[in-house]
Amino acid sequence: MTDQTAAIPALAPLRKGRGTVDWGEVILNGYLLLFFAWMFLPLILMVLAAFNANPTPSATEWQGFTLEWFARLPQDERFMQGLAHSLIIAAGVIATAIPMGLAGALILSRMQSRANTFLYTLLVSPVLTPGIVLGATTMIFWRDLFGVQAGLFTTIMAQAAFIAAYCMLMFMARLQRQDRVLEEAALDLGASPFFAFRRVTLPFLMPTVLTAAFIAFLQSIENYNTTFFAIGGSWTLVTEIGSRMRFGLSPMINAIGVIFIAITVIVAVTHTLVIRKRK
Amino acid sequence: MDGLYRSFGRPLTFGLFVTVALWLFGLILLPQLSMIQRAFQVEDRGGVSAQLSVEIEKLYVRQFEIDQQLRAIEQPAAAQPTAPSPFAPSVGGAPAAPSPNDPFAGLSAGKAPAADPVETEKKRQALIAERADVVARIGELEARESGPAAVDLRYSLENFTSMTAVHFQIFIATLFYALCVTVLAFLVCYPVAYAVAMAGTPDRAALLLLALVIPYAINELLRIFAWVMILERQGLINSVLDWLGIIDFAAGEGFRFVASNGAVFAVMVYAYVLFMVFPIYNTVETLDRNQIEAARDLGASTWRIHTRIVIPHAKPGIAVGAIMTFMLSAGSIAVPEIVGRGMHPDWFSQVIYRRFFEADSWNEGAAYSLSLLAACMVFILAVMAVFKVGIRDIAR
C-alpha cells in the first residue's frame, strides 16, 4: 500500500504529457512480443523439422529438404485406421451432442423454475470435470451395467457428455438474442407450437447448429484425455500420435502436425476475415 | 412449465425432456454414480472364493483319475474291434464302420468282445456315472465362483485409506503443481489479455486475437511435442529451467528434480496458458475504457488502476480461467506421459491410469478418480467463494 502512494506522483506526470513516450505501452508491447515468440517459436521449429530429411526430428541439424514424411503418412495403416476411428467418433458425437445441447438450451431458456439453476449446474458440470474422470466413469458405467467394453462407442458417450454442454452454451447464447415476437405471432395466428418451432425457432438456430457441429467436430477429433481412458484397446488418430510420442520421436508426427496447423491457420484466418467483412 | 408447453406444445416438450434426461442420466449422473459405487466397494475374494477354488481343484483331480481308470478298462477292450476299423475303408469301404470322430461309437462296439464283460462293465458304468456327477459338480461350483455369491462385496473406505504414502504424496504434489501452474498462468496471461482487450485499433485487435486463437486451436499434443523436441534435442532445457528456477523450484531441491518435474511443469504452463487468456480477455473487453481514463486523470497509479478497476471487473473471467487451468493441469495425462517419459515422478493422472489398466484394480482407480474430482470441486467452490461469482458467471 505504501509504495503505491509513492508511485502516484512518479507515474502521473508521464501519463498526462501527450508528447512523451508512454513507457507503460512500450513495456506492454515488448511483453506481447515475447509472449507470442514463446507461443509460436516451438511450433515453427516443429514445422521446420517436418521438412528435414533428418530421421530424428530436428530443426537445427539440417540434412536437406524432403517431403518423405508426408508421403509416408497414407501408407501408415495405424494412422489411417485411427483417422477413420476419429471420424466415426466425431460423427457419433455430433449426432448425440447437438440434439442434447439443443434440448437443454431450449428447456433452460424457457423454463421458469427454481430447478433451473440446479439443472444448469448439472448439465454444465462435465465441462468442469477433468477429462480423465469423464473417461473413467463412462468406461465403468458401460462395462458394469451393460457389459460393453471400452471402445469407440464408450468414447462417443464420454466425449458427448461434455461436448453437449459446449453446444448447449452456444445455443443458449443464441436464444438469448432471439426476438420472441415472430414466434408469438405465429402462435397467435393459429400455428401449432410444433409448426412454430419448426418454421421460426429452428431456422433462427440453424447457423448455431452448424457452428456447434463444427466446434463439436474439432473438440472430438482433438480430444486426448477423455479418449485415452474411454477408448480401451482401440485407438484414434490423436491417441496414436500420443503413443508414438511416448515411444520416441518421428518426423511423421511433425508432418501430421504441419497438416493440423495448416488446417487451423486456414480456418482461423477465414473466420476472422468473414467476421471483419460482416462488420 | 407453462412457458414450455406454450412455446413447444406437449409432444415436443416431452421429447426435449426425454433428450435432456438421456444426457443427464445416461452420460453424466449414472456414470458418476457407478464410479462412486466402485470407489466405496471392496471385493474380498479371500474367504469363500478360496474354499471354492480348492474344492474345484480337487474335483478336477478326481475327474482326471476317473478318466485314467476308464481308459485302462477300455484300452484292451477297444483295441480289438477298433483296430480294423481304420483299415476298413481301404479294404472294403465298409459303410458300417464306426466313425473315428465319435469315441462313443468305438466304445459301444468294444463292449461285446471284452474279456471279463460283466465285472468290467459294472465298474465302467459306475465310473461313468461318477464322472458325470463330478462334471456336474464342477460346473455348479464354477458358476458360483464367477457369480456374485462367492465375492464378498463390502462397502467401505478401504480404497481411499489403503492409498499408499507414495500415491498420496503424488496426489498432493499434483494439486500443488496444478495450483502453481494456475497462478503462473494468471501472471503470464493477465498483461496479454489486457493488452489485446485494450488494443488501439480494431485491426490490431483482430490480428492479436488471431495470434491467440491459432495456438489455442492447435492440438494440445502437438504443442507438447514441439516442446519435447526443444527439451530433448536443442539443449534449450537449461535456459528454460533457469528461467523457471526463478519462479518455482528455488535452490535446495537439487538439479535432478528440476530436470524431470521442471520440464513437465514448464510444458504444462505452455500448454494450458491460453485457457486463462480468453476468459480474462472476454471480461476485460467489456470494461468501459472511460473508467480507466477517469482513474488516470484523477492520479491513480497503473497498479491501482489494475487492482481497483480492471481486476475487479475481470473477476468472473479470472475465476473461469483459474478453474479451467487448474482442472486441465491437475487432470492432465498428455503432458506427464509425453514429456515425462516415465523418468520423472508420477503425476496423479498416471497413477489413476495404472490402477485401471495395469494393476487392474478398478475399484481403487475409481476411488482415486473420485479423489481428483473432489479436489477439483473443492477448488471450484473455493474460487467461486473468493471471487464471489456464481455458476452462471463461470460457464458462459
Side-chain angles (χ1 to χ4, degrees), chain A residues 4 7-8 11-12 15-16 18 28-29 31-32 35-36 38-40 42-43 45-46 49 54 56-61 96 99-101 103-104 106-108 110-112 116-117 119-134 136-145 157 160-161 164-166 168-169 172 180 183-184 187 193-194 197 221-222 224-225 228-229 238 241-242 245-246 248-250 253-254 256-257 260-261 264-265 268-269 272 276, chain B residues 1 3-9 12-13 16-17 19-20 22-32 34-35 38 187-189 191-192 194-196 202-204 206 208 210-215 217-223 225-230 232-234 236 243 266 269-270 272-274 277 293 296-297 299-304 307 323-324 327-328 331-334 337-338 341 349 352-353 356-357 362 366 369 372-373 376 380 391-392 394-396:
Chain A
Q4 263 180 54
I8 293 174
L11 275 172
R15 298 283 181 195
K16 289 267 166 67
R18 282 285 167 203
L28 200 56
N29 279 334
Y31 180 76
L32 269 187
F35 179 83
F36 283 116
W38 179 52
M39 277 289 124
F40 282 99
L43 297 173
L45 289 177
M46 183 173 73
N54 192 339
T56 45
S58 159
T60 45
E61 287 170 52
T96 325
M100 286 175 171
L106 287 170
I107 288 178
L108 285 176
R110 297 290 168 83
M111 188 169 72
Q112 310 294 332
N116 205 314
T117 302
L119 183 63
Y120 177 85
T121 309
L122 287 179
L123 291 181
V124 162
S125 69
V127 173
L128 305 171
T129 307
I132 57 169
V133 175
L134 274 185
T137 55
T138 310
M139 179 180 77
I140 293 173
F141 172 67
W142 287 96
R143 203 183 80 162
D144 280 2
L145 264 82
M157 292 296 114
Y166 280 119
M168 183 181 87
L169 294 175
M172 284 177 81
R180 298 274 295 278
E183 191 188 298
E184 299 284 338
L187 290 173
F194 182 71
F197 173 76
I221 293 276
E222 304 225 321
Y224 182 72
N225 284 354
F228 193 58
F229 268 75
V238 170
I241 292 174
M245 283 180 191
R246 264 181 292 153
L249 308 183
S250 154
I253 295 173
N254 294 62
I256 294 183
F260 265 86
I261 291 173
T264 311
V265 170
V269 170
T272 309
R276 307 252 325 120
Chain B
M1 249 346 145
L4 277 172
Y5 283 147
R6 236 182 76 73
S7 294
F8 307 126
L12 191 58
T13 307
L16 292 177
F17 269 104
T19 315
V20 168
L22 277 177
W23 176 19
L24 185 60
F25 291 102
L27 302 190
I28 303 173
L29 291 182
L30 291 180
Q32 290 291 350
S34 54
M35 180 182 79
R38 267 203 182 256
L187 294 177
V188 170
C189 277
V192 176
Y194 177 78
V196 176
D203 276 324
R204 186 177 143 90
L208 287 175
L210 186 64
L212 285 177
V213 167
I214 287 173
I218 288 171
N219 194 306
E220 172 190 359
L221 284 190
L222 296 172
R223 292 191 292 134
F225 179 71
W227 270 98
V228 173
M229 269 178 61
I230 293 171
E232 283 221 327
R233 309 278 317 153
Q234 257 80 3
L236 280 174
W243 174 73
V269 174
Y270 177 78
Y272 302 127
V273 92
L274 288 164
V277 171
E293 288 297 319
R296 207 166 268 170
D297 289 345
S301 68
T302 307
W303 173 260
R304 209 146 194 209
T307 51
I323 288 170
M324 291 308 280
M327 187 267 282
L328 284 170
S332 170
I333 193 146
E337 280 279 311
I338 291 162
R341 297 263 185 92
S349 54
I352 295 177
Y353 185 81
F356 274 108
F357 294 103
W362 280 34
S369 311
L372 180 64
L373 183 64
C376 286
I380 292 173
I391 186 81
R392 290 264 177 188
I394 287 178
R396 254 197 305 203

Side-chain angles (χ1 to χ4, degrees), chain A residues 62 77-78 81 97 99 107 120 133 156 181 188 204 215 231 234 251 267 270:
Chain A
W62 194 257
E77 245 172 60
R78 273 189 74 88
Q81 192 73 46
I107 288 178
Y120 177 85
V133 175
I156 293 175
V181 171
D188 286 348
F204 174 76
I215 298 285
I231 195 83
S234 192
V267 168
T270 324

Side-chain angles (χ1 to χ4, degrees), chain B residues 8-244:
Chain B
F8 307 126
R10 268 166 202 271
L12 191 58
T13 307
F14 180 72
L16 292 177
F17 269 104
V18 168
T19 315
V20 168
L22 277 177
W23 176 19
L24 185 60
F25 291 102
L27 302 190
I28 303 173
L29 291 182
L30 291 180
Q32 290 291 350
L33 283 178
S34 54
M35 180 182 79
I36 292 170
Q37 189 210 357
R38 267 203 182 256
F40 290 102
Q41 176 178 306
V42 181
E43 276 173 29
D44 195 353
R45 292 190 168 270
V48 192
S49 170
Q51 274 177 15
L52 272 177
S53 65
V54 166
E55 223 166 302
I56 290 169
E57 196 61 33
K58 273 186 192 157
L59 285 171
Y60 268 115
V61 171
R62 179 70 196 134
Q63 187 191 348
F64 182 73
E65 284 171 6
I66 297 172
D67 283 347
Q68 289 284 27
Q69 289 177 18
L70 272 174
R71 208 166 301 146
I73 296 168
E74 283 156 12
Q75 219 58 285
Q80 287 164 350
T82 49
S85 72
F87 301 103
S90 62
V91 173
S99 157
N101 296 329
D102 185 0
F104 292 104
L107 284 182
S108 53
K111 258 191 279 180
D116 186 4
V118 184
E119 266 311 296
T120 322
E121 179 58 22
K122 235 184 208 168
K123 201 175 170 197
R124 205 181 71 90
Q125 289 297 351
L127 281 173
I128 287 176
E130 196 192 341
R131 189 180 189 282
D133 217 42
V134 167
V135 169
R137 184 114 179 87
I138 288 176
E140 183 194 322
L141 288 182
E142 275 183 344
R144 259 176 63 193
E145 190 191 33
S146 57
V151 185
D152 183 17
L153 271 187
R154 286 182 290 115
Y155 286 94
S156 81
L157 289 170
E158 231 168 84
N159 291 324
F160 297 91
T161 51
S162 70
M163 197 186 279
T164 60
V166 178
H167 287 169
F168 187 69
Q169 239 168 16
I170 293 172
F171 180 56
I172 297 300
T174 301
L175 296 182
F176 173 71
Y177 285 135
L179 203 62
C180 291
V181 170
T182 310
V183 172
L184 199 55
F186 170 71
L187 294 177
V188 170
C189 277
Y190 177 76
V192 176
Y194 177 78
V196 176
M198 293 293 154
T201 63
D203 276 324
R204 186 177 143 90
L207 190 69
L208 287 175
L209 214 51
L210 186 64
L212 285 177
V213 167
I214 287 173
Y216 177 74
I218 288 171
N219 194 306
E220 172 190 359
L221 284 190
L222 296 172
R223 292 191 292 134
I224 296 166
F225 179 71
W227 270 98
V228 173
M229 269 178 61
I230 293 171
L231 295 171
E232 283 221 327
R233 309 278 317 153
Q234 257 80 3
L236 280 174
I237 182 164
N238 288 326
S239 51
V240 169
L241 289 177
D242 254 10
W243 174 73
L244 263 177

